[in-house]
Structures are given as C-alpha cells and as structure tokens.
Amino acid sequence: MWLPIQINEQSAEPLYYQIEVQLRALIVSGQLAEGTLLPSIRELAQMLKCSIITVRRVYQDLESEGLLRTRQGTGTYVARVEQRELDRHRLAAVIEAVDNAVTAGKLVQCTKDEINEIFQEALNKHYNG
C-alpha cells in the first residue's frame, strides 16, 4: 500500500515526527479508513528510505494514541476511533500549527495586528478563493 507521506530532509523537524504528523492526518481526516491495513514496519521504512526504528516509533506512538492497532501475525491496522476523538486529534493538529506560526511571527518581531492580518489573508485564500 502506498501512503502519500512526504519527507523533507532539510526540515529541522525529526524524521519520525514528520511521518507521524502526516500519518495521523491521514487517519483523522478519514483518508485512511478504519480497518485499513498499513504497510509493515519494514515496508514503510523501505518506501520512505528511513530506519525501521523510526517507523516502529511512529506506529507505537499512534497505537498508544488509539489510532492504530497491531495484530500479531497479521499487521497494523487503522483502529476504530469515535468521532469525538477524531475531532480532538484534528483540532489539536491545527492548534499546534497555529501556535507554531504565532511563535515564528513573534521571533521576527511581528506585531499582533500583523499576525492577525496574515491569518486573515490565509483564511481568505483557502476559504474564499
């Protein structure tokens, strides 16, 4: 199974984090349905050209969040997750991204009004145009 996960080698974010964020997004957005069999740890590591240990950590983290289930001998599947829990994960991802954006703005001395204007422009770009 092919997963649309993109690795940015130039990113300051750790590799496992990049994979985990993208895989979580595929699950909470419904792009990967309940019961979907994921590639084995070894297969995904080969696809992404990364360490087996990296993929194992991603699978373990998402399993501990209740998004994945591993069945011995059959593989790792997308778990059944209640809509309320999916919404919580979905919103948490956006909150984290917004918080990071505000932090980045503050680091370069943007004012609150400038940051607000940037967010309004982004909202208009994605929702009105």
Side-chain angles (χ1 to χ4, degrees):
M1 164 186 227
W2 177 80
L3 294 174
I5 294 176
Q6 302 293 317
I7 302 299
N8 180 353
E9 300 283 342
Q10 270 51 64
S11 175
E13 293 177 329
L15 195 55
Y16 86 90
Y17 182 78
Q18 292 181 50
I19 298 166
E20 189 172 302
V21 165
Q22 292 178 63
L23 187 53
R24 183 183 298 109
L26 290 168
I27 295 167
V28 301
S29 69
Q31 293 177 63
L32 288 177
E34 172 189 341
T36 300
L37 176 63
L38 297 180
S40 71
I41 290 171
R42 186 177 308 278
E43 289 170 334
L44 188 55
Q46 287 173 344
M47 280 188 254
L48 299 176
K49 296 177 177 44
C50 69
S51 162
I52 291 170
I53 295 167
T54 300
V55 175
R56 180 179 295 124
R57 178 175 179 181
V58 169
Y59 278 16
Q60 287 173 339
D61 287 354
L62 295 178
E63 189 167 9
S64 72
E65 291 178 22
L67 297 175
L68 296 180
R69 292 284 175 255
T70 300
R71 295 186 198 135
Q72 202 63 31
T74 61
T76 302
Y77 298 83
V78 175
R80 182 177 191 284
V81 184
E82 297 296 325
Q83 188 60 49
R84 192 175 87 205
E85 188 66 13
L86 287 175
D87 290 342
R88 186 183 70 75
H89 281 285
R90 188 174 52 85
L91 294 176
V94 176
I95 289 167
E96 180 181 357
V98 169
D99 189 56
N100 289 339
V102 170
T103 299
K106 285 185 72 177
L107 285 172
V108 295
Q109 307 296 312
C110 285
T111 66
K112 193 174 180 179
D113 288 338
E114 288 173 324
I115 291 172
N116 190 40
E117 184 178 328
I118 291 166
F119 279 121
Q120 291 305 315
E121 287 174 8
L123 283 170
N124 291 336
K125 174 182 171 186
H126 292 282
Y127 285 97
N128 296 335

